[in-house]
Structure formats: C-alpha cells, structure tokens
Amino acid sequence: MTRGIKHVDWKKTDRLIGETKRANGRIDDRVTAWEGLDSGGPRVRLGRIGRGGFRRRRLSATLLAVAFGCGVLLASWRWADRHAERPDPAAAMLGAAIAGGSGLPAAMDSAGRADRQAKDARDGEAAAPDRPGMSAADERTAAADKLADGEADSRSGGTVLSAEGAARGLQADRADSPLTVRVYLAQDRRIERVRLEDYVKGVVAAEMPTDFKPAALEAQAIAARTYLIRRLWYEDRTGMPVRGADVTDTVTHQVYRSREQMDELKDNQPKAWAAVDEAVRRTRGIVMVYGGVPIESLYFASSNGYTENARDVFDADLPYLVSVASPWDKEASPRAKETVEMKLSEFYRKLGVRTLAALTGVGKQPAAVIASWTDGRRVRSATVGGKQLAGSEIRSLLGLRSAAFDWKIEKGKVVITTYGSGHGVGMSQWGAEGMAKTGATAADILLHYYSGIQLKPLTAMQADRSETAKL
C-alpha cells in the first residue's frame, strides 16, 4: 500500500506545541506536525528540541555570567581610578613619601600594609587649589611635571643635608606632608587625627621646654618626626592599647599636646606657641636616616656627661646609638645631680634581698657593691646581698632618675647620688640646649648625638625611591 500524507488535526497539534513550549521554554519555530500513514494518529516531530532548549538556557546563563564579570571589572577600574584622585594620606606617605631606597623592609611589601590604609575622608582629601579651571588632580600632575623638569624650588628635597648646608632652615620641605597621624589620647580614651606637622608641634611643646634655644627646639622636632615615621615605616604597633591608632600621647611613645591644648597654648602663651611653630616649620619634613631607613630617634632629659650605648640599655645594637660625650648637661641641666637617702631595710626590700640581717637589721649587713660600668659611665651591674642586678633594674626598682649613680651605706641608711635624668640613649635634651647656646645648629646637635646619620626631607626619600624604581 502506498504511503501518503493524511489530514492533520491542527488544533490538536497547536495544543501539543503550546504544552511543549511551556514545558521546555522557547522551541524552534521550524517544528512541524505530521502523521505517518501507519502511526494511528498525529505525531509532533520534536527530535532533540528539548535538549537544544537546555543548551540554549545554559549558553544564556554563561553569557550573563560573563557580562556580570565584565561589569564588576569595569566598576573596579572606575573605583580605583576615582580613588587614585584622593589617596589615603597614610598609604600615600608609605608608598611614596618615605618608602624609598633599597632599605624598604619586607613587611612594607606585605598585605599587612592595608591595616593602616583605612580611609578617612575628612582628613585624607587634599584641598582643591584656588585656580580656575584646574582640578586637584591637574594641580598634582602639573607639580609632578615641574619636579621632573627641575623647575621646583631646590628646597623640595633630593640631597643629603650637611651641618653647614642645614645651618639656616635645614632645607625643609616646601609644604606640609598630607600624612594623617592617629594619636590615642589616653586620658580622653579617644583617637585624635592630626596632620604630621601638627603632631610634631604637639610633641615638641610637650617634650621640651618652649623657652629653649631655636636650634634645640628644631633638633627636638626632627627627632619627634623621625620617631613617628619609623613606627609607620615598620608598621610598629607596640605599646598600643587600642586598634586604629599609630601612637599614644604618653611616655610609652612620645608625650603629645592635643589640638585643644595647643589652641590654649596659642591663646595663653603666644610666644611659646610661636617658638614651637617656627621650629617645626623650619624643619618641615626633615627626618634622620641611616642606611636609607628612618632611625630609632631616642632621646632623654639630661646625661651624666656621656650618652649610653643602646645595647647596654635596650639590648639593641644600633650603630648610630653609641656613647658620646655630652659635657654641656652638667652646667645647663637642673637635674645634673641629685641625692636621695633611704633606710637600709627599705633599700633591701625594694631590691628583693631577703637575708635575715636585711629583714631584722640584726647582724652583719649584706654587702652592696657596684661591680661594673658601661661605656657611658652608668652602672652595668651590682651585687647586693649576693644577688646580682643590672644597673637599669636597680634604677627601676629604686625609682632613680638615672642608672648613673653611686652609693654609700652609713648609720643604717643608704645615700644614693644620681647624675643626669633618663635612660641616656640618643639625644640629651639639656645637652642640645647647651650646644645651642654655643652656636650649634640643629644639624650639628643631631649629627653629634646620632652617629653616622643623614638628614633628609621626605620628598628626597620619595625621589630616591623613584630613581631606584628606574634601575
């Protein structure tokens, strides 16, 4: 029997196609209905249309995912470009202003740097220049071009400063650093955000008498600035009681007068405020470096005539913190010499000597002998009642001003004479004042107390980094 095309029930076929569309999504319009002569009824020729719809849905999902990924990438680029216009001050400083030269610590290359780079929109955004038609980004670009062309003022950095060349103004940076310092105010239990140079002013006003000679105040400003920059350089968080701050306002780091206190100083003692402001302005951006790295710029009140080796006090052998003569303290400092007396029983108790004679006062008293001295003429070790103690430990236990002391025991008491005040490492503040009175510059003072260091502005360190990157 010859096969042929029979009559097709189109209504039933359309219904079946509609059901198939709802079940499988969009289907190919080329679907046809036909009936075989021996099929016994209509048949929709779907073939692989169901699986084809699945493949198309999977392709659509893939295209959507790719489009979404491209959108995220584009948004990320736009975010980075927009925020490049407003760099975080800490990140900008760490990445450009001071992170220069081959001395860059490995820690600064790690992801740990991000802990400091939290945004602070109020303090971090530089003010737009007062120039019509020129954005802040354009201004920065123009400034960079001028530096590249050598058109900027020579004081903007790039050279190592000698004592002679730094005698007037120390070739300070032309503008304040954009760096924001986060200071934890211990008494108020809050974090204050200030610019670098304002922070330095607060430290100078708190750490040194404001009636000191200008050169001494300038030396203090450089030491204070260097101390802070080194902490940021090494991402040092030691001594911090809270997160989100760089330094405290206590002797744990550097004593600091808050913005409110500095405003009060300006209102009530304008001469003192002006002296501090001038010292910081004349040294703007200057830091001390050794081997391209900011130094540990320790300082103290007054010496016994010599400073101390860092290794003898802090067990840190730093080549720039070694013993040097400081004869100016004896005449200038009110704390050059001090004598204290205490009962032997109290003396032994504070030092932890618990012999029967020490506890009862009956019998032969335990011997107290200074056994050795440091290069800085301070007590290295002493033996009391058979117990050996370090000079710095004795100073702490007895509450002495210095580890430069001697003693004598007579009539049931001990008489202790101390010389100078403080740990003795680095710059003597009263020594700096004495040097300034003789006509020494701030650079002379610093180069004397910190052996082999160099004075550099932050912009010079940035230039060094740029040159290193070209090699």
Side-chain angles (χ1 to χ4, degrees):
M1 181 176 178
T2 306
R3 294 174 180 264
I5 302 296
K6 292 185 177 181
H7 173 71
V8 177
D9 187 345
W10 291 107
K11 291 184 178 180
K12 189 173 183 180
T13 301
D14 290 340
R15 179 174 57 79
L16 290 175
I17 292 175
E19 291 176 355
T20 304
K21 286 183 178 181
R22 286 192 295 274
N24 297 288
R26 293 185 305 167
I27 62 175
D28 198 317
D29 291 337
R30 292 174 298 174
V31 173
T32 59
W34 61 282
E35 178 186 24
L37 293 177
D38 56 351
S39 63
R43 178 169 66 184
V44 178
R45 187 178 181 183
L46 298 178
R48 298 181 182 178
I49 292 176
R51 288 192 294 272
F54 173 75
R55 286 199 302 273
R56 274 184 283 276
R57 290 199 304 274
R58 184 169 60 183
L59 177 60
S60 298
T62 302
L63 292 175
L64 285 173
V66 171
F68 178 76
C70 292
V72 171
L73 183 59
L74 179 61
S76 299
W77 284 341
R78 294 185 63 184
W79 185 93
D81 182 66
R82 183 171 64 254
H83 284 73
E85 299 288 327
R86 303 177 178 88
D88 174 64
M93 185 278 295
L94 291 172
I98 68 167
S102 59
L104 180 66
M108 292 298 294
D109 289 326
S110 68
R113 180 190 310 163
D115 181 58
R116 180 177 293 102
Q117 297 180 347
K119 296 291 180 185
D120 185 283
R122 178 176 60 82
D123 292 323
E125 184 168 342
D130 186 17
R131 297 177 66 175
M134 197 171 195
S135 67
D138 294 334
E139 179 72 2
R140 285 191 293 271
T141 301
D145 292 340
K146 290 179 70 176
L147 283 173
D149 294 336
E151 296 174 12
D153 188 282
S154 60
R155 293 182 301 167
S156 64
T159 59
V160 177
L161 306 178
S162 66
E164 294 77 16
R168 295 292 181 267
L170 290 171
Q171 298 185 19
D173 279 341
R174 299 181 63 193
D176 287 354
S177 167
L179 169 66
T180 297
V181 183
R182 303 170 298 179
V183 188
Y184 178 68
L185 305 181
Q187 187 172 355
D188 296 341
R189 296 185 179 181
R190 66 181 178 87
I191 296 174
E192 177 172 280
R193 289 172 170 82
V194 291
R195 298 290 181 154
L196 171 62
E197 300 305 326
D198 290 330
Y199 169 75
V200 175
K201 292 177 187 177
V203 174
V204 173
E207 287 280 10
M208 179 174 275
T210 56
D211 60 352
F212 270 22
K213 293 291 184 181
L217 292 172
E218 291 169 13
Q220 179 65 62
I222 295 173
R225 185 182 299 107
T226 304
Y227 180 90
L228 185 279
I229 294 299
R230 181 180 173 89
R231 280 184 65 83
L232 298 181
W233 180 278
Y234 283 110
E235 297 182 333
D236 186 358
R237 289 289 183 270
T238 57
M240 294 305 305
V242 298
R243 297 189 60 167
D246 304 307
V247 71
T248 69
D249 65 342
T250 70
V251 293
T252 300
H253 301 116
Q254 298 185 114
V255 184
Y256 161 82
R257 288 193 183 189
S258 67
R259 283 184 296 200
E260 180 180 353
Q261 293 170 329
M262 290 300 290
D263 288 341
E264 292 176 358
L265 181 67
K266 186 176 183 178
D267 293 338
N268 301 327
Q269 302 180 57
K271 185 177 180 180
W273 184 90
V276 172
D277 180 70
E278 179 73 3
V280 174
R281 185 185 64 80
R282 284 170 58 86
T283 64
R284 184 189 292 123
I286 300 291
V287 293
M288 291 180 283
V289 299
Y290 187 95
V293 176
I295 72 166
E296 188 75 79
S297 55
L298 301 180
Y299 50 88
F300 62 99
S302 63
S303 77
N304 61 338
Y306 298 88
T307 67
E308 190 61 281
N309 297 319
R311 67 173 181 269
D312 292 329
V313 180
F314 301 113
D315 196 26
D317 195 5
L318 299 174
Y320 49 84
L321 291 178
V322 295
S323 180
V324 297
S326 184
W328 308 276
D329 304 62
K330 293 182 179 180
E331 296 181 1
S333 173
R335 294 186 174 184
K337 183 178 180 180
E338 181 183 64
T339 299
V340 296
E341 296 182 2
M342 67 181 68
K343 292 182 179 180
L344 269 176
S345 58
E346 181 184 6
F347 175 72
Y348 293 133
R349 177 179 58 80
K350 288 183 174 180
L351 296 181
V353 177
R354 303 184 180 280
T355 66
L356 182 62
L359 294 173
T360 64
V362 178
K364 186 177 181 181
Q365 296 297 313
V369 180
I370 295 176
S372 61
W373 302 84
T374 66
D375 294 341
R377 277 67 165 177
R378 290 165 177 79
V379 176
R380 183 189 300 277
S381 64
T383 302
V384 182
K387 183 177 182 179
Q388 187 169 356
L389 299 163
S392 58
E393 184 179 7
I394 295 172
R395 178 200 172 199
S396 177
L397 293 172
L398 298 181
L400 305 177
R401 286 182 173 177
S402 169
F405 60 81
D406 56 34
W407 58 38
K408 60 181 178 179
I409 297 174
E410 55 184 16
K411 298 179 181 180
K413 63 182 180 181
V414 59
V415 180
I416 306 173
T417 302
T418 59
Y419 306 92
S421 179
H423 51 65
V425 180
M427 182 182 72
S428 165
Q429 293 171 312
W430 279 98
E433 171 70 352
M435 288 187 69
K437 287 180 177 179
T438 67
T441 68
D444 294 329
I445 294 169
L446 297 173
L447 292 171
H448 173 75
Y449 284 109
Y450 303 99
S451 300
I453 59 95
Q454 295 176 327
L455 296 170
K456 280 191 175 184
L458 292 177
T459 47
M461 300 178 73
Q462 179 183 4
D464 288 347
R465 184 190 186 212
S466 298
E467 289 301 319
T468 301
K470 295 177 183 178
L471 300 178

